[in-house]
Amino acid sequence: MTIMSESHTEPDTDVEADTDELARRAERAALRLANADEATRNEALRSIADAIRDRESEILDANAVDVEEAEQLLADGEYTQALVDRLKLDETKIEEIASMVESVAEQDDPLGETLAARELDEGLELYRVSVPIGVVATVFESRPDALVQIAALALKSGNAVVLKGGSEAAESNRVLYEAIVDATADLPDGWAALIEAHEAVDRLLELDDRVDLVMPRGSSAFVSYVQANTQIPVLGHTEGICHVYVDADADLEMAADVAFDAKVQYPAVCNAVETLLVHESVAEAFLPDLVARYEAAGVEVRGDERTREVVDVDPATDDDWDTEYGDLELSIKIVDDAYEAVEHVNDHGSKHTESILTEDSETAKTFMTGVDAASVFHNASTRFADGYRYGLGAEVGISTGKVHARGPVGLEGLTTYKYYLEGDGHLVATYSGEDAVPFTHREPDAEWGLGGE
């Protein structure tokens, strides 16, 4: 078990040496874990789920310490209520975490899948096969369940993982990590490591020869910091500025329910809506009742000038359109049509998740194809942008990039591929020169299996 503590008082050189050794162990473990069969990985995941259930009281006691400290910092104005809400665990949440791990075990094996195949010539067959990325490192926010999600997905996909949680969840993360490592004692040593020292993160970001992928989950400033301070590929998103657009042809009763759910169901997460766009032709019929419903739920509503002509709300500033509130706050803008809605989203959105509410399929198509985002919904809450809800088992985070993985990143996003070539003494010289034998370049009869299995 490897835990590097936030309270580490030794010189920075020791932190660097410890981090280097941790990364070396993870690299060795990743090579061995890549060869662990699916049954072994699934058995380990089920053992993790059992351990979390068995250690429920210990986990909740540790979480209570974190929550008590967080609530004191909330009272001092240093933490937000949203952060405290993300931090809290209870018996129901513990069962959800354990069930999530089991759901990952039940997912199809992402490894060893033949993604493409081609016969180059008789007896010379090329296969593109899914494999683990290797060593993945992740720095995540205050939600302790994120540690388990990420570790479970890394294990199922055959990756070693280095975990760094927020200091506000240190006690919870430590116990959850211990449960995971104890439950997987038969796996390669070092497949999972927990670091807590800030200096260790900076050192880890320098180890591009050992760490293959970094997945930051946190504030926009932190993700930008990671991107600017490493040569390791970074997978993630900086902000979750999501929009719901209510079109002229929306079912207004349904639209009100969806817009309410997208903000109120869980406002602290990155897929909650921050800006509501409303077509000018339905604003007077739609906004008064919805705003009253929002305000009854404690939502602080702001609006542009046209909105404030319809409902009595505070004025929205230019900064509001570019703000991820992560709380019970919402800004509303009235637009002329779907094209203006698309323009606003592309100008101010964070490429995370957007939704249109309309009964007109052509307008829906215009919005969905025109918006630049990882997930775009029609007549559904933005809160559906989640790996578990997508059927991915869980997620390591949301990616708003366009290379490798996009949207909720599950098992597939933690794999890459290799090319395997099966031959029988074939020589390149045979296919070169005046008497070159032509390649057949056709599909082989079977998927890849070592030695023709």
Side-chain angles (χ1 to χ4, degrees):
M1 181 186 304
T2 302
I3 300 179
M4 296 183 60
S5 173
E6 188 97 47
S7 58
H8 202 294
T9 57
E10 296 178 7
D12 289 352
T13 54
D14 288 344
V15 172
E16 289 189 4
D18 289 346
T19 307
D20 291 352
E21 176 57 26
L22 174 152
R24 280 192 290 270
R25 290 176 59 213
E27 187 177 35
R28 291 194 296 267
L31 294 173
R32 295 177 59 197
L33 191 59
N35 289 308
D37 61 28
E38 182 185 12
T40 298
R41 287 177 276 125
N42 287 344
E43 182 180 355
L45 286 165
R46 295 187 182 101
S47 295
I48 291 173
D50 291 341
I52 288 171
R53 291 189 179 101
D54 291 343
R55 299 175 72 159
E56 176 184 290
S57 296
E58 185 180 355
I59 295 168
L60 292 178
D61 287 346
N63 184 247
V65 174
D66 289 330
V67 172
E68 182 178 0
E69 293 181 1
E71 288 179 337
Q72 180 58 55
L73 290 169
L74 172 65
D76 294 340
E78 296 184 36
Y79 280 177
T80 65
Q81 185 62 53
L83 184 148
V84 177
D85 290 343
R86 288 195 297 266
L87 181 60
K88 290 180 180 178
L89 298 175
D90 55 25
E91 291 84 354
T92 299
K93 190 67 175 180
I94 295 296
E95 178 55 34
E96 289 176 354
I97 293 171
S99 297
M100 176 275 301
V101 176
E102 291 172 333
S103 76
V104 173
E106 293 166 3
Q107 296 291 307
D108 292 338
D109 189 4
L111 304 181
E113 180 184 356
T114 298
L115 305 174
R118 180 173 292 117
E119 178 195 89
L120 305 188
D121 194 6
E122 184 175 353
L124 186 62
E125 296 178 346
L126 180 69
Y127 299 88
R128 189 168 71 203
V129 179
S130 60
V131 297
I133 287 176
V135 178
V136 297
T138 179
V139 186
F140 50 93
E141 73 283 10
S142 57
R143 290 167 49 195
D145 59 307
L147 182 147
V148 185
Q149 282 187 13
I150 295 164
L153 288 168
L155 173 52
K156 177 73 176 188
S157 56
N159 292 286
V161 61
V162 181
L163 303 152
K164 168 65 172 79
S167 59
E168 65 279 359
E171 298 297 328
S172 306
N173 288 337
R174 207 170 289 136
V175 174
L176 286 166
Y177 172 74
E178 289 170 358
I180 289 169
V181 173
D182 291 348
T184 58
D186 293 336
L187 293 182
D189 182 49
W191 82 268
L194 177 66
I195 60 175
E196 297 181 349
H198 292 304
E199 299 90 342
V201 176
D202 290 333
R203 178 57 180 165
L204 197 68
L205 295 178
E206 298 174 355
L207 301 179
D208 54 281
D209 56 335
R210 300 194 182 278
V211 179
D212 300 292
L213 182 70
V214 177
M215 299 174 294
R217 290 174 55 163
S219 69
S220 173
F222 176 72
V223 175
S224 297
Y225 174 84
V226 170
Q227 292 171 333
N229 287 276
T230 189
Q231 295 184 31
I232 303 168
V234 178
L235 186 67
H237 73 281
T238 54
E239 294 174 303
I241 302 175
C242 304
H243 301 76
V244 168
Y245 167 55
V246 180
D247 183 53
D249 295 306
D251 177 327
L252 296 187
E253 182 176 352
M254 178 187 72
D257 289 340
V258 171
F260 186 82
D261 178 88
K263 176 78 269 182
V264 177
Q265 196 272 334
Y266 194 1
V269 287
C270 59
N271 57 18
V273 66
E274 308 295 10
T275 297
L276 179 66
L277 305 172
V278 181
H279 193 285
E280 55 94 18
S281 67
V282 298
E284 291 188 9
F286 180 70
L287 283 176
D289 287 345
L290 178 61
V291 168
R293 188 175 173 186
Y294 276 141
E295 291 177 340
V299 179
E300 182 180 333
V301 182
R302 304 178 183 91
D304 69 344
E305 185 175 343
R306 296 172 74 183
T307 298
R308 297 180 70 230
E309 292 175 359
V310 178
V311 288
D312 183 16
V313 296
D314 291 334
T317 67
D318 289 342
D319 289 341
D320 282 310
W321 310 127
D322 299 309
T323 299
E324 179 183 13
Y325 299 117
D327 208 341
L328 289 172
E329 299 178 67
L330 179 78
S331 293
I332 301 175
K333 181 178 182 178
I334 293 176
V335 296
D336 291 336
D337 52 31
Y339 294 101
E340 185 180 352
V342 168
E343 183 178 358
H344 180 95
V345 169
N346 289 339
D347 284 346
H348 300 283
S350 57
K351 306 182 189 299
H352 191 298
T353 303
E354 313 295 348
S355 181
I356 179 173
L357 304 176
T358 185
E359 299 303 300
D360 187 309
S361 59
E362 288 301 314
T363 303
K365 182 179 179 181
T366 295
F367 182 90
M368 297 177 79
T369 57
V371 161
D372 184 10
S375 294
V376 188
F377 301 158
H378 177 204
N379 289 344
S381 170
T382 55
R383 289 281 291 112
F384 279 104
D386 174 83
Y388 179 76
R389 297 186 182 103
Y390 278 16
L392 305 180
E395 68 178 43
V396 293
I398 301 285
S399 172
T400 54
K402 299 181 181 180
V403 178
H404 179 65
R406 198 176 194 193
V409 180
L411 294 172
E412 184 179 351
L414 291 178
T415 65
T416 182
Y417 56 79
K418 290 181 180 178
Y419 282 103
Y420 295 145
L421 184 63
E422 292 279 0
D424 188 19
H426 289 75
L427 305 175
V428 170
T430 306
Y431 306 92
S432 303
E434 293 183 3
D435 298 322
V437 173
F439 291 107
T440 58
H441 286 165
R442 63 188 181 192
E443 291 187 8
D445 295 330
E447 293 189 349
W448 181 78
L450 189 61
E453 295 178 2

